[in-house]
Amino acid sequence: LKLQFLYLIVFLRPRLQPPGTRTCRAADAAEDQSNMAGVKWVIGGWLGFVTENVVLSENRTAIIEATDARTYHMAYSALSCASMGSLFYGVYKHGTKAVGRRHVGLPRAALGLALKTAGVVGLSQSLPPFRNVFSGEANVPAGAAGAEGMGGKNFCPIDLSWKKGAEGKEVYGFKRITRHPQLWSLATFGLGVAAASACPVVRLAGAGFTPTVLVLAAHQDSRYARGIGGSLSDETWATTSHVPFVAVAQGHQSLAQAWEESKQTNAMLGAAACLLWQGGSLL
């Protein structure tokens, strides 16, 4: 009798459930399996990318001496493409599907939007300065060479001579916040994607930027300190930081000065574009 009762529980219970329940469970199981496969592809991509960057850049001189610079850069590019290909495949194949009944709440959506906006603002500093052609004022950072005597004219919306603004200065603009502003801007945007997504594969892909930047930028600093692939001045080492805002917290840098020296129009346009593009996620 007990065995018969157990049979009823195990084998007949699924058949007595409301219509659609078994379908939902099957869909959940398939989604979990897909997520697990996607997670493996993404983790493999990030680990491969970090490993090949550290190993190849650390042995840069020896590899170039044993072969040549062209072979070194071709190997570097091939391995980087393979690593990123693994990550993109995982996201495309397993992270772009509908995420069933899972949703992120308003706080996470708002956090994601804020982080993505901050990332876009940082990345906007890599572009030539934009400026208002009707104001007669160029969006040239403070202290830029050639900024004097530019009033009362109409200008091209893009200032292609923007590098003059950093002439003679190694620490300038957002580099007062971190020595690696572009990398940390990517990491910040990635954290925003992770916060706003309900898909585990997309969350892992977005969040993976942060440990990757943490390791690779620290390794670059280590190489530069040993004169491998580049160098930085003693002043830069003493007054800037790898991790954002550490130098500011230590009193070596000023956020106000970083903003004053930044491409402010770029930052505002970038923030506005991101809010318009992603603001619907809050609705």
Side-chain angles (χ1 to χ4, degrees):
L1 181 61
K2 292 180 179 179
L3 290 175
Q4 291 175 343
F5 183 70
L6 182 61
Y7 174 84
L8 290 174
I9 293 177
V10 175
F11 293 98
L12 294 185
R13 182 173 178 271
R15 293 170 173 78
L16 298 176
Q17 290 175 342
T21 303
R22 282 175 286 165
T23 304
C24 291
R25 289 188 173 181
D28 287 343
E31 184 178 313
D32 290 341
Q33 187 176 5
S34 178
N35 284 335
M36 183 58 66
V39 164
K40 291 178 181 178
W41 281 103
V42 169
I43 290 178
W46 279 128
L47 288 178
F49 187 74
V50 171
T51 301
E52 58 95 2
N53 269 273
V54 170
V55 171
L56 289 181
S57 60
E58 184 68 24
N59 297 280
R60 181 178 187 273
T61 303
I63 295 174
I64 291 178
E65 289 177 353
T67 57
D68 54 61
R70 183 173 181 273
T71 301
Y72 170 80
H73 290 296
M74 287 181 63
Y76 209 128
S77 299
L79 291 173
S80 293
C81 287
S83 300
M84 290 295 95
S86 172
L87 189 151
F88 292 144
Y89 175 80
V91 173
Y92 175 78
K93 182 70 175 178
H94 303 282
T96 57
K97 298 178 180 178
V99 191
R101 292 156 296 285
R102 301 177 186 175
H103 301 282
V104 297
L106 181 60
R108 272 185 55 183
L111 175 62
L113 179 60
L115 289 170
K116 284 186 279 190
T117 302
V120 170
V121 167
L123 291 172
S124 73
Q125 302 302 297
S126 302
L127 300 174
F130 289 89
R131 53 194 176 188
N132 185 344
V133 298
F134 301 107
S135 68
E137 297 179 0
N139 179 30
V140 179
E148 300 82 4
M150 299 180 73
K153 300 179 181 179
N154 289 331
F155 301 98
C156 171
I158 300 176
D159 178 14
L160 298 179
S161 62
W162 63 280
K163 288 187 177 180
K164 293 180 179 179
E167 187 176 29
K169 292 187 177 182
E170 193 171 341
V171 180
Y172 200 82
F174 280 18
K175 282 193 174 182
R176 296 187 181 279
I177 300 174
T178 169
R179 282 193 293 271
H180 310 281
Q182 289 82 16
L183 292 178
W184 278 109
S185 295
L186 278 174
T188 303
F189 188 88
L191 287 176
V193 171
S197 176
C199 177
V201 179
V202 175
R203 288 203 301 264
L204 183 61
F209 277 101
T210 297
T212 299
V213 169
L214 191 65
V215 172
L216 294 185
H219 182 249
Q220 178 179 307
D221 287 347
S222 172
R223 288 191 296 108
Y224 282 12
R226 291 173 285 144
I228 301 176
S231 62
L232 290 174
S233 67
D234 293 338
E235 180 185 359
T236 300
W237 285 117
T239 61
T240 61
S241 62
H242 164 24
V243 178
F245 302 107
V246 170
V248 175
Q250 293 173 340
H252 298 311
Q253 298 296 342
S254 164
L255 284 177
Q257 190 172 4
W259 173 250
E260 181 182 354
E261 295 173 347
S262 71
K263 302 164 189 173
Q264 298 175 10
T265 302
N266 289 32
M268 291 184 284
L269 288 175
C274 188
L275 290 172
L276 290 173
W277 173 40
Q278 295 286 309
S281 61
L282 298 180
L283 302 178

